[in-house]
Amino acid sequence: PLKQLTPRETSSLLTNLKAFPIQITGKMSLAKSFVTKGGVELKEIDPKTLESKKVPGLHFAGEVLDINAHTGGFNITAALCTGWVAGSRHYEP
């Protein structure tokens, strides 16, 4: 579990994740380009905070949400907006 890592191990893990190489080999046609299908159903979250109705304190944003649409700016807009909403809430532990 992540909480069992030392600060040095956590730092090393983050460094490796940020440097992980991903080779892009091509793209699909616009007709086949969609926001990722599936994910957390919208009825399972509070639309004002994007907090899970099942797990208090857990918030969802971006493509982990079950939002389907053609590309063309919608997915990045949804990711940015839902990220802002989910991240703008401050909770005391």
Side-chain angles (χ1 to χ4, degrees):
L2 187 60
K3 66 182 178 181
Q4 293 179 352
L5 296 178
T6 65
R8 186 175 187 172
E9 291 170 330
T10 301
S11 178
S12 177
L13 175 62
L14 292 174
T15 297
N16 287 322
L17 287 174
K18 290 177 184 178
F20 188 79
I22 298 175
Q23 183 178 359
I24 299 171
T25 59
K27 64 182 181 99
M28 299 179 84
S29 69
L30 183 59
K32 293 185 177 183
S33 300
F34 282 85
V35 174
T36 304
K37 294 181 181 180
V40 177
E41 293 184 31
L42 299 180
K43 67 182 180 182
E44 295 181 3
I45 62 169
D46 178 338
K48 292 182 180 179
T49 64
L50 301 177
E51 182 176 19
S52 170
K53 292 179 180 178
K54 295 180 177 182
V55 182
L58 178 62
H59 293 76
F60 298 100
E63 291 201 26
V64 300
L65 296 170
D66 187 17
I67 301 173
N68 299 318
H70 284 281
T71 59
F74 177 79
N75 56 341
I76 190 67
T77 301
L80 292 171
C81 292
T82 57
W84 183 84
V85 170
S88 66
R89 308 294 181 224
H90 301 283
Y91 295 96
E92 295 294 322

